[in-house]
């Protein structure tokens, strides 16, 4: 059953990563429509709340955990060796929140989850909101002010 916990946590991080990717695409498009460019990493750091212990944003931690889950079988057994730069970057990121090659899947993903939820007083149910919902809520007014965008009105008026 513990193996299933790891699989479910991994799937959850991948779903959160999909929302991160959607947000990055939207923000990059707003910049493009205003004649500017911005990188994925720069978008992911805009208004992103950092974990007090690692200094990484919740967005970066969740994205790294999802990449770990999806690509872990491609990594060297000891997570060292001749890994490509992107893989090394992910390995360094996940190590900074307590993940490691000597730990099993569930323990590694629980480390990432705890890095996000422990300092915020949240729990598993709060993960998507802590990572994406609150990040989007901070991004929206910033982008509205930066690009003079209209306010969103739920009533449609």
């Amino acid at each position: 059953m513990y193996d299933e916990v790891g699989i479910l946590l991994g799937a959850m991080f991948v779903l959160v990563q999909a929302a991160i990717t959607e947000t990055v695409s939207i923000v990059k498009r707003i910049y493009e429509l205003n004649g500017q460019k911005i990188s994925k990493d720069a978008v992911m750091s805009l208004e992103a709340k950092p974990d007090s212990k690692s200094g990484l944003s919740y967005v970066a931690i969740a994205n790294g955990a999802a990449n770990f889950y999806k690509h872990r079988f491609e990594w060297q057994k000891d997570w060292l060796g001749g890994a490509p730069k992107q893989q090394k970057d992910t390995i360094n990121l996940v190590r900074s929140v307590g993940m490691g090659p000597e730990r099993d899947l569930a323990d590694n993903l629980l480390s990432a989850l705890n890095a996000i939820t422990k300092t915020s007083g949240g729990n598993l149910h709060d993960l998507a909101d802590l990572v994406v919902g609150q990040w989007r809520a901070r991004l929206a007014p910033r982008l509205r002010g930066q690009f003079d965008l209209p306010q969103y009105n739920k009533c449609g008026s």
Side-chain angles (χ1 to χ4, degrees), residues 29-151:
R29 185 69 177 137
I30 290 169
Y31 272 76
E32 288 170 6
L33 290 171
N34 285 279
Q36 299 178 30
K37 289 192 175 210
I38 187 168
S39 71
K40 175 185 174 181
D41 289 339
V43 172
M44 287 175 50
S45 68
L46 286 175
E47 301 296 329
K49 184 175 181 176
D51 165 51
S52 59
K53 188 174 181 181
S54 70
L56 295 168
S57 72
Y58 295 165
V59 173
I61 295 168
N63 190 62
N67 285 335
F68 158 77
Y69 178 71
K70 294 185 307 185
H71 302 289
R72 69 192 183 280
F73 294 114
E74 300 166 16
W75 296 6
Q76 297 289 328
K77 187 174 181 171
D78 61 1
W79 294 10
L80 301 172
K85 181 187 178 333
Q86 188 173 5
Q87 195 177 89
K88 284 181 185 175
D89 291 346
T90 301
I91 289 169
N92 290 335
L93 186 148
V94 298
R95 280 184 180 274
S96 70
V97 295
M99 296 169 69
E102 69 287 346
R103 303 181 78 198
D104 65 23
L105 177 63
D107 286 341
N108 274 323
L109 292 172
L110 284 168
S111 291
L113 180 66
N114 286 335
I116 295 168
T117 60
K118 196 177 238 180
T119 59
S120 63
N123 60 43
L124 178 64
H125 301 294
D126 298 327
L127 181 67
D129 185 53
L130 288 168
V131 175
V132 180
Q134 292 180 23
W135 177 47
R136 286 178 174 178
R138 291 187 302 271
L139 270 173
R142 176 193 178 114
L143 295 171
R144 280 190 202 108
Q146 184 174 347
F147 295 110
D148 197 30
L149 300 172
Q151 291 288 327

